[in-house]
Amino acid sequence: MADCIFCKIIAGEIPAAKVYEDELVFAFLDIGPINFGHTLVIPKEHHESSATIPETTAGRMFRVGARIGIALKRKFEWDAFNLHLADGTAAGQVVMHAHLHVIPRGVEDGFHWNWRQLRYEEGKAAEIARELSMRVAADLN
Ligand code: 5GP
Ligand code: ZN
């Protein structure tokens, strides 16, 4: 897409520190890393949402992301990694070309995800799962 920063990075019109490239995906260092080595894996084809990425490409993104995570551990002695994808502005997506974050993590790296944990009222979890599963089955089958 013409005015997309990440499409420009793939095309070589904006410089980026490339980590990996194949026919389906491109990976490069995030310009504002949570920890050093923080990498973004993106589909070469422009997709705003993860939901429209073809299965083969989405699978490749996950595989490449996980292998980059392993490389960060082995080469730079990180303890672990997070794979993170924000889909939509309310979820924190800022660049509207879908991207998988690979975030190297250390036992005491000083960074904390602020996820919360709510509790379901009686029967609510079953009700949500039933409605969601019908919708997902209709979409995927
Ligand atoms: P989001 O919040 O959309 O999940 O993440 C977007 C990420 O892209 C941010 O972590 C940000 O630092 C990174 N980013 C934004 N613009 C550029 C850029 O021009 N080059 C690189 N390498 N990373 C970028
Ligand atoms: Zn794009």
Side-chain angles (χ1 to χ4, degrees):
M1 215 180 88
D3 58 351
C4 169
I5 310 173
F6 287 178
C7 282
K8 286 185 177 152
I9 285 176
I10 294 165
E13 293 163 14
I14 292 178
K18 183 166 103 177
V19 172
Y20 177 80
E21 179 177 14
D22 63 28
E23 78 282 13
L24 296 177
V25 306
F26 192 93
F28 56 101
L29 294 187
D30 192 300
I31 206 167
I34 288 172
N35 281 320
F36 296 118
H38 178 169
T39 300
L40 301 175
V41 184
I42 64 177
K44 281 193 163 172
E45 210 172 77
H46 180 91
H47 290 271
E48 179 169 326
S49 170
S50 59
T52 59
I53 301 171
E55 192 164 341
T56 311
T57 305
R60 186 72 59 85
M61 285 172 65
F62 192 89
R63 170 93 180 134
V64 167
R67 295 316 304 180
I68 289 172
I70 293 295
L72 285 162
K73 285 176 65 177
R74 291 194 179 142
K75 187 74 183 172
F76 299 103
E77 297 181 5
W78 289 104
D79 299 311
F81 59 91
N82 287 108
L83 295 179
H84 174 76
L85 191 147
D87 195 307
T89 306
Q93 184 176 7
V94 173
V95 177
M96 292 306 177
H97 181 131
H99 48 279
L100 182 64
H101 293 260
V102 186
I103 302 156
R105 300 301 308 277
V107 172
E108 294 185 17
D109 64 8
F111 177 69
H112 302 283
W113 295 106
N114 288 316
W115 299 115
R116 66 179 179 185
Q117 288 195 299
L118 303 174
R119 294 274 176 269
Y120 286 105
E121 284 170 23
E122 184 73 27
K124 196 70 186 169
E127 180 191 324
I128 291 174
R130 189 174 57 248
E131 288 178 13
L132 187 58
S133 69
M134 285 190 306
R135 182 74 196 217
V136 170
D139 183 31
L140 288 175
N141 294 329

